Amino acid sequence: MPKTKPVLTFTIDGKKCRTSPGQTILEAAKANGIYIPSLCYWEGMKPAGACRICTVRVGGRYMAACTQPAAEGMAVENDVPDIQDMRKAIVEMLFVEGNHMCPTCEKSGNCELQALAYRFQMLVPRFPFQFPVREVEPAGTKILLEHNRCVKCLRCVRGVRTRDNKTVFGALKRSKDKKIAVDQALASALPEKQARQAMDRCPVGSILRKEVGFAVPIGKRKYDKKPIGSEIEKAEG
Amino acid sequence: MPSKGLVTAALGRHRHDRARLIDILRDIQAQAGCVSPEAVAEIAAGLGVSTVAVEGVATFYHFFSARPAGTYAVYLNDNIVSVMKGRAAVAAAFEKAVGCKFGETTPDGRIGLHRTSCIGMNDQEPAALINGVVFTSLTPAKARVIVEGMKAGMDPKAMVASFGDGANASKIVRAMVKNNIRKEGPVVLAPFRSGSAIKKAVKLTPEEVIAEVKKSNLLGRGGAGFPTGLKWEFCRREKGEAHYVVCNADEGEPGTFKDRVILTERPHLLFEGMAVAGYAVGAKEGVLYLRAEYAYLLPYLQKVLADLRKKGLLGKKIAGKTGFSFDITIKLGAGAYVCGEESALLQSAQGERGEPRDRPPFPVSSGYRFLPTTVNNVETLCAAARILEKGGAWFKDMGTARSAGTKVLSVSGDCKKPGVYEVPFGLTVRRLLEMAGGTDARAVQVGGPSGCCISRGQFDRAIAFEDLATGGSVIVIGPQRKLFEVIHNFMEFFVEESCGWCVPCRAGNPLLLRKLEKIMSGKGTPSDIADLESWGKTIKAMSRCGLGQTSPNPILTTIQNFRELYESKVDRNRDFKPEFDLAESVKAASEITGQKLAAHDPENPHA
């Protein structure tokens, strides 16, 4: 990042980028004003490589930009039609895998999945809707889990821990049955700040702090006027 | 329901060690028949972790169940070869005799019927595990006898009427499993005298051992084919407070069972290979990660380890070499195909959900306990021991220029002599079919579902890394088989075994399966075939680990090699046919109301 002296150079779609060793392609791109779309990534958290939307191609091989460190001389393909279409396909997979009803969602306008769909100009998913039966789970006194919307980005699993380092959220089962669950006792005991954080970090409207879902009205939300990624692209000047 | 006593005892036995959570859960499941929410809460409290952390692990592996799985838990293999060999009739016989369906447990909790993925018995299907005891070559009549035994309260071990060959019949194993060794090659299945490899190894420096393995050109036998010597060299070079050797004995690829035979007949060769690897990389500890399906071999393997310790071939000052100590522990899985992926295996060995890790860092620098680790396949380690015994040049002389040595193949399906064949690399599929008595095959699945399905025109292709790479599974598909049934079985397998971590594999494979079903049901058009290809390519490119990166292969390789089959199933005169069948979906309502739905004409939908 800016403070450390850049010591390696590589390219993204032919554009020369500088970064320091250890930086991932995603972080390095961001520092160089290039937006690589992502969903499960959250700055400061250990990357999970779960959504795969940040997939790029280097030397014919596909890799997640959020987990792959940039290397000297690397030629990264990012904004190319076939990769963009596969990324869009993943966004569409998420839309059909769950039940996403944007107009009634507390997160609409602040939702990163919705914002990505706009950015990729998704109209109708190419895949058939699965309409899974999922529940809304009152998970303790503070939090509501809206499983219909969950994209299993694992931000909550990675980012929310108690003072004695216990995980509060966790993943259950596997395959398409995988679901996020919460230790109710621990979740109810979360300090207010952490409970709000859990909601704010959830990219979709799956983790809701009870009673505050519509505190910011639709129309005044993060992505209501500017597309996701524009803040990075603008910084480039 | 488990009493508090069971959990307390299990926690004590495993020293309240979070890394042994799977062992703890295995104990509870075996004793209580389930891991109930109460048990989860008690374990979480005992380990000082959240309930979701324990429940996450307990719900990941399919041999753990939240509800009682039955005093007798019957797990009947549902892979395609089991189906070919009469699974349906056996399953029906079980259901009728037991009085409940698969997926259920009898009301008294005595017998539970469950399905499971390949259990490594493809040469003797249909096969089932009952409380961990293997039952092979099942028939409806045998199923009825087994059910009578269960109703009479017999110990499943006592229901094993006759034993298999070799060590299967030994007092400590007493399994009906057969080895079916059809061809012994010089590397893995030839007789081996304990000590002949490690004694030579310790006379060399570790660097010289690595050089010998490099000279042999040994490539990893799990399927990926990474050079073993290079892996050991990378691992040795890494700094860390300890180094580890981990043996991947989690062969879960449907159709493979050769590691089971090696573990049964050549475990001392394998363990010596681990010791050689330990010497080479500078490890003091080795871990054998054994798939849960092979737990019946555990006491036997423990005894082999004890014997090797007595002989001074494990433990301290191995083969008289001062300063070289190495020992091996065995860790059991609990039912998850993805744990054959090396980083998922490491997670599982540490008591976690078997979810792959991101790489880099690779296991050579951050492996078991996040320390430098070489993870090698059973067969690879056996070959490494033999290379030390007989020399790298001897090994390199066999096989092809790129694929040195031999390969142990598990051959099953429509052939007269299913079993294990150790053959030199470069052998053609045609020659293998001749040896196995399956020359009339219409197709051969090489490398299991994640591999490649080839047609008759390709039978002159060779088993080798440069042509048909395989971890060892070869499934012969006879002329009478419906290939779509095979493909469908494989796709269901991947859908179920996806760990669910990444989106393309978790969400994409069910979509592929559904599209395949659309074509199978006769509602497909050419665009559906194109969708399968396009979606499959996306899943391969975008997935996080080898499972997702190969999961579309059953579809993609058959579209490539049996395109006419897909084309014969679709309506070439239409661009699109809906998956949705209006008449079918309102059938129940029509029957109730007595109103008949006007026939729907897709050509004229608004008529």
Side-chain angles (χ1 to χ4, degrees), chain A residues 48 97 167 173-175 183, chain B residues 50-51 59 353 498 501 506:
Chain A
E97 187 196 29
T167 52
K173 303 189 181 177
R174 67 179 185 216
S175 73
D183 186 312
Chain B
S50 60
T51 53
T59 54
R353 291 165 60 83
S498 166
W501 184 286
R506 181 189 72 231

Side-chain angles (χ1 to χ4, degrees), chain A residues 26-166:
Chain A
L26 188 92
E27 292 162 334
K30 195 173 170 187
N32 284 274
I34 294 171
Y35 174 63
I36 298 178
S38 64
L39 182 61
C40 66
Y41 173 79
W42 181 270
E43 192 173 334
M45 271 184 207
K46 188 173 184 261
C51 73
R52 313 307 286 180
I53 291 170
C54 71
T55 298
V56 292
R57 189 166 51 210
V58 180
R61 295 190 57 186
Y62 296 91
M63 45 193 74
C66 71
T67 59
Q68 187 70 36
E72 179 64 40
M74 220 178 212
V76 178
E77 289 180 83
N78 169 46
D79 188 7
V80 291
D82 66 325
I83 294 178
Q84 293 289 32
D85 184 59
M86 289 198 284
R87 289 170 175 168
K88 187 180 177 187
I90 290 188
V91 172
E92 292 174 13
M93 278 181 198
L94 286 168
F95 268 92
V96 303
E97 187 196 29
N99 299 308
H100 299 275
M101 312 296 167
C102 297
T104 58
C105 179
E106 291 87 338
K107 198 79 170 210
S108 183
N110 281 329
C111 171
E112 292 171 54
L113 180 67
Q114 181 191 42
L116 282 167
Y118 281 131
R119 171 126 192 164
F120 284 112
Q121 300 183 339
M122 184 187 104
L123 297 172
V124 172
R126 69 195 77 179
F127 309 109
F129 282 99
Q130 304 294 296
F131 299 122
V133 177
R134 294 197 193 158
E135 58 193 1
V136 181
E137 180 186 350
T141 55
K142 292 199 171 81
I143 282 173
L144 194 72
L145 277 185
E146 225 301 14
H147 291 290
N148 287 292
R149 303 165 182 168
C150 179
V151 292
K152 287 97 179 173
C153 67
L154 307 172
R155 280 187 193 168
C156 55
V157 178
R158 287 176 284 159
V160 186
R161 281 174 184 265
T162 60
R163 272 195 177 165
D164 54 350
N165 206 31
K166 284 181 183 170

Side-chain angles (χ1 to χ4, degrees), chain B residues 74-78 82-83 85-103 113-115 126-128 138-144 147:
Chain B
V74 180
Y75 285 89
L76 182 62
N77 182 8
D78 70 356
S82 178
V83 174
K85 303 292 170 184
R87 183 191 191 277
V90 171
F94 267 117
E95 288 184 341
K96 194 170 173 219
V98 171
C100 75
K101 298 273 175 208
F102 271 83
L113 297 178
H114 314 277
R115 41 152 311 280
L138 290 168
T139 59
K142 285 183 190 171
R144 285 189 285 271
V147 174

Side-chain angles (χ1 to χ4, degrees), chain B residues 545-557:
Chain B
C545 83
L547 194 158
Q549 288 158 11
T550 58
S551 59
N553 283 357
I555 289 174
L556 294 181
T557 66

